[in-house]
Amino acid sequence: MYKKPVIVFEGIEGSGKTFHINNVSKYLKKNRIKFIRIREPGGTQNSEKIRKLILNKKSKFNENSDLLLYLASRSENIEFLKKNYKKKVILIDRFTDSTIAYQHYGLGVKLSIINHLNKYLLGNFKIDFTFLNIVNQKNMIKRLKQRKKLNRYDKFKKKFYDKVQKGYLKIAKNSKKYQIVNSNLNIELNKKFVIKKLEKLIR
Ligand code: TMP
């Protein structure tokens, strides 16, 4: 038997979080370990509809509307997440910390409102572990340039991402439930490092 933790992958644009969640999914599949994987915003059918609306380049929402749309997308996912809670390993590409990092540290929405709404939505659903991927500006810009499609949030100023990443680091500080993955370092070594940690989380 293996454990069924909830594992979240966080980080700013170009930080490599999706790369690692892909690799972890591959590992779980290969080892026949049951898991579900979602991304936020998006993940389930209704939530994907909200994703399109939020991230569309032509959309222009104020920061409160943005917050409520991200939470609406989460609200559509939570039933599915709770249904699988502790029955399968759960991998989430961005979750509640994205809201704190982007909407609070990046855009200045009051933290207490975000915490309150997240708590209201999540109830007893708890994150067990978070991989926080970090990247320097040079590499972030390089990686964003390689993307075919940029969304509304890919086009913020560099200073904004700096604030968001610093916010993430504040959230993770002194917590054993976070592992920082420095994506400026060798990708193969990072890959092994993440899988090793994953093995500890599920065994
Ligand atoms: P991604 O799926 O390509 O990472 O893009 C999603 C964007 O949405 C990313 O810029 C971060 C942003 N976001 C928030 O601002 N708040 C949130 O709560 C979530 C889940 C994402």
Side-chain angles (χ1 to χ4, degrees), residues 13 17 40-41 51 70 74 94 98-99 102-103 153:
E13 279 63 7
K17 67 182 168 50
E40 284 211 349
R51 178 186 176 93
Y70 283 116
R74 186 159 305 140
R94 294 196 181 283
S98 274
T99 321
Y102 283 78
Q103 274 64 53
Y153 269 62

Side-chain angles (χ1 to χ4, degrees), residues 60-67:
K60 245 190 181 167
F61 295 115
N62 68 40
E63 57 273 18
N64 287 331
S65 308
D66 251 9
L67 168 73

